Amino acid sequence: MKTSQPEVIGIASGKGGVGKTTVSVNLASSLAQLGKKVFLFDGDLGLANAQIALGLKSEFNISHVITGEKSLNEILIEGPKGITLIPGASGVKQMAALSEIETAGVVQVFSELRGDLDYLIIDMAAGISPSVLTLMEACHRRIIVVIDDPSSIADAYGAIKVITQQSDREDIYLVQNRVQENDRSDILFHRMNNVCMKFLNQSIFSLGAISEDEFLLEALRNKKTIQEFAPSSLAARDFKFLAEKVLSFEPLQQVEGGLEFFVERKN
Ligand SMILES: Nc1ncnc2c1ncn2[C@@H]1O[C@H](COP(=O)(O)OP(=O)(O)OP(=O)(O)O)[C@@H](O)[C@H]1O
Ligand SMILES: [Mg+2]
């Protein structure tokens, strides 16, 4: 049994529809393909995005764990390519509007996660609601997905700003999604990094880019990950690079007594 803590990675964007679920599912499957044990949590508690993307159905979900009806282990479902999904609460209306305290309950539930697990990836809901911020704050590392579009850039900056103001954690990583063949993704990263340094006194890190690739949509339609559906596609290559970068993160500092998800607030 592994005794070290799994690394918890939150994936957010501010703006909806820019690729959080795509990045979450395919990063998870690419890490699994590299031999890591990965759990994927559908943090989009209202709509259960990742669950739908993976074509999985479940009778029980995180809401049953919060109410104490089930243990976390009882709701896990095995997805493709070694990913284990922690289902969000699809269709459970009140879950969409979880309070900060209740979200903290979700985070607490994760402290049950021990043993043979390397990564927990959290696919966040769109926006920067208190529940998204609480979950993001509880992660060891935060990835912001952005596309080269003014409203996505503005929302990504907004998300980085509130995350930075809310906690002392400094590890915010940017992934640019839907990059066209001849685009240079480092331009947008440097622009955003400069703005963050100037106005937030905070630099961010680049995790590179994911190409615009219609195979991603096809893979989704076929309820498969890109690695399964089109292993030699541009997107499969990009996700492999992304997973390798994630693998090369500095090791987490070990915390006495196991998992420690909460970080201190600045206020
Ligand atoms: N790199 C890409 N190339 C082509 N299509 C993409 C790419 N990334 C995402 N898409 C498509 O864009 C759409 C939205 O992506 P996705 O569902 O991942 O976004 P999201 O940020 O999770 O959305 P929401 O905010 O609704 O949860 C999907 O149809 C997806 O297939
Ligand atoms: Mg989504």
Side-chain angles (χ1 to χ4, degrees):
M1 279 273 269
K2 221 168 140 277
T3 49
S4 58
Q5 58 189 132
E7 190 162 304
V8 185
I9 301 176
I11 302 194
S13 63
K15 186 174 163 62
V18 301
K20 292 175 296 298
T21 300
T22 305
V23 170
S24 302
V25 167
N26 291 294
L27 172 59
S29 69
S30 303
L31 283 168
Q33 194 145 51
L34 292 171
K36 296 295 165 189
K37 175 89 175 137
V38 187
F39 280 10
L40 176 61
F41 173 59
D42 226 327
D44 198 344
L45 297 163
L47 294 167
N49 258 289
Q51 192 177 335
I52 291 165
L54 288 168
L56 301 172
K57 284 207 180 87
S58 65
E59 196 181 340
F60 300 106
N61 58 50
I62 194 78
S63 67
H64 298 98
V65 181
I66 294 173
T67 57
E69 289 163 69
K70 294 278 163 197
S71 73
L72 187 60
N73 279 330
E74 288 173 310
I75 66 158
L76 299 178
I77 38 179
E78 289 304 317
K81 286 275 179 240
I83 309 173
T84 303
L85 189 86
I86 304 172
S90 187
V92 183
K93 260 200 196 139
Q94 63 270 31
M95 290 295 288
L98 277 186
S99 71
E100 209 171 332
I101 306 263
E102 287 163 322
T103 312
V106 174
V107 173
Q108 194 56 44
V109 162
F110 289 148
S111 61
E112 288 181 37
L113 286 176
R114 276 163 202 280
D116 205 17
L117 180 66
D118 299 302
Y119 293 96
L120 168 63
I121 306 230
I122 305 184
D123 175 17
M124 301 284 170
I128 41 172
S129 64
S131 55
V132 168
L133 289 176
T134 305
L135 280 176
M136 281 303 265
E137 203 182 338
C139 294
H140 296 118
R141 305 189 198 268
R142 291 142 263 273
I143 295 180
I144 303 291
V145 181
V146 67
I147 59 172
D148 193 1
D149 155 273
S151 59
S152 171
I153 295 168
D155 284 9
Y157 173 72
I160 294 168
K161 187 175 170 188
V162 283
I163 290 167
T164 316
Q165 287 169 345
Q166 200 178 29
S167 85
D168 283 328
R169 304 298 295 263
E170 293 185 351
D171 32 23
I172 297 176
Y173 300 84
L174 200 71
V175 170
Q176 188 181 343
N177 190 23
R178 310 198 77 149
V179 172
Q180 305 288 339
E181 216 169 337
N182 296 316
D183 283 356
R184 281 192 45 203
S185 65
D186 53 335
I187 296 176
L188 176 57
F189 168 72
H190 286 302
R191 233 166 67 211
M192 287 200 65
N193 191 34
N194 286 340
V195 173
C196 290
M197 288 203 297
K198 187 167 173 197
F199 296 106
L200 307 176
N201 199 20
Q202 161 89 51
S203 55
I204 54 175
F205 301 92
S206 172
L207 283 179
I210 306 296
S211 303
E212 172 75 32
D213 190 339
E214 62 189 28
F215 278 123
L216 280 169
L217 193 58
E218 283 299 309
L220 200 69
R221 285 202 184 113
N222 285 276
K223 310 232 183 292
K224 291 206 162 109
T225 66
I226 192 72
Q227 307 292 354
E228 287 176 295
F229 185 75
S232 53
S233 63
L234 283 178
R237 177 206 62 185
D238 294 341
F239 276 112
K240 185 162 178 281
F241 282 156
L242 178 60
E244 284 166 351
K245 283 189 192 144
V246 168
L247 284 185
S248 70
F249 282 163
E250 290 282 307
L252 294 172
Q253 283 189 333
Q254 291 301 309
V255 178
E256 280 289 305
L259 294 176
E260 180 61 88
F261 286 109
F262 283 109
V263 291
E264 271 178 42
R265 278 170 179 279
K266 267 185 180 164
N267 53 16

